[in-house]
Amino acid sequence: MVDVLPLVEARLRTALGEPDARAAVTFLGTDRIEVLRFRDDSPEGVVLRYATLGMSAQPMTDPAAMLADPVKGPRAELVLSVRGGLADTDKVLRPLAVLAASPQVEGVVVAPGASLDVGEPLWPGAPFSSVLAAEPGGLVEDLELDAPLDPVRFLPLLPMTPNEAAWKRVHGAQALQERWLANGTDLRDPSRRSVPLD
């Protein structure tokens, strides 16, 4: 059986550079989840990218399936980008690990358009407790694996305020993303307000 995680980490390093910090979290009955932090010093300021490593070790299984297939099924890792220096966003490591462990713990399949909620602020004082999983392929390209394994997809996470999460449940992910776009919302601002939803 191929060990997927070294390939995943290599893809993250190719796309995002060398991580400047990493932390590991292990939940009872699950594989270890690591969260790597990458620092991007862009002209507009520092952007911190947090990427999970470990979620893709096993394929995600449809909760309705009688038996989990150890080989086939979607694989993913999560990537969150926030502006640095504006909030204590390093505290997001544990919530991110919780989200990355949810396929093993709760049997959920995390796919683009899904809402994920940690039930508490993503970091101290954060106006967000949930995220929207966006379409992969922009920041980190999919990692193709040898057949019959599915590729690893790197899903960007977009933090949602409680109002945005409730609005998304009614109107859908596409409508919320269009609303953000129309209002020029800076989704990497760790203390941004909710987009106008009326």
Side-chain angles (χ1 to χ4, degrees):
M1 211 40 220
V2 63
D3 187 356
V4 172
L5 297 185
L7 303 174
V8 170
E9 183 167 354
R11 174 56 54 94
L12 286 169
R13 287 171 184 264
T14 299
L16 304 175
E18 286 298 309
D20 70 345
R22 64 195 303 153
V25 182
T26 305
F27 302 102
L28 194 63
T30 68
D31 296 332
R32 187 168 97 144
I33 303 285
E34 287 191 88
V35 180
L36 281 57
R37 185 183 73 186
F38 300 87
R39 184 185 173 96
D40 180 5
D41 294 301
S42 69
E44 301 97 52
V46 176
V47 175
L48 299 174
R49 305 193 194 281
Y50 300 92
T52 63
L53 179 63
M55 182 177 172
S56 61
Q58 307 291 333
M60 293 182 277
T61 305
D62 184 336
M66 293 294 287
L67 285 172
D69 190 320
V71 177
K72 297 187 82 167
R75 295 174 188 259
E77 296 289 354
L78 309 174
V79 181
L80 174 71
S81 299
V82 291
R83 295 198 180 284
L86 303 175
D88 188 8
T89 55
D90 280 351
K91 296 287 197 305
V92 79
L93 299 178
R94 185 168 177 80
L96 268 184
V98 168
L99 295 179
S102 61
Q104 288 184 60
V105 176
E106 299 168 29
V108 297
V109 175
V110 179
S115 298
L116 307 171
D117 197 317
V118 294
E120 60 185 27
L122 292 175
W123 52 81
F128 323 103
S129 63
S130 62
V131 292
L132 173 66
E135 289 292 335
L139 192 61
V140 185
E141 285 184 29
D142 292 355
L143 173 64
E144 296 294 334
L145 301 173
D146 292 339
L149 302 182
D150 286 28
V152 177
R153 304 170 85 196
F154 298 87
L155 303 177
L157 298 182
L158 309 176
M160 295 187 290
T161 66
N163 285 348
E164 290 169 342
W167 196 85
K168 182 254 174 189
R169 280 194 292 275
V170 175
H171 300 279
Q174 183 70 37
L176 178 58
Q177 288 177 294
E178 288 170 3
R179 185 64 61 107
W180 281 334
L181 196 59
N183 284 273
T185 306
D186 180 2
L187 296 171
R188 295 182 298 191
D189 180 351
S191 54
R192 72 172 180 85
R193 298 178 185 277
S194 183
V195 71
L197 298 169
D198 41 321

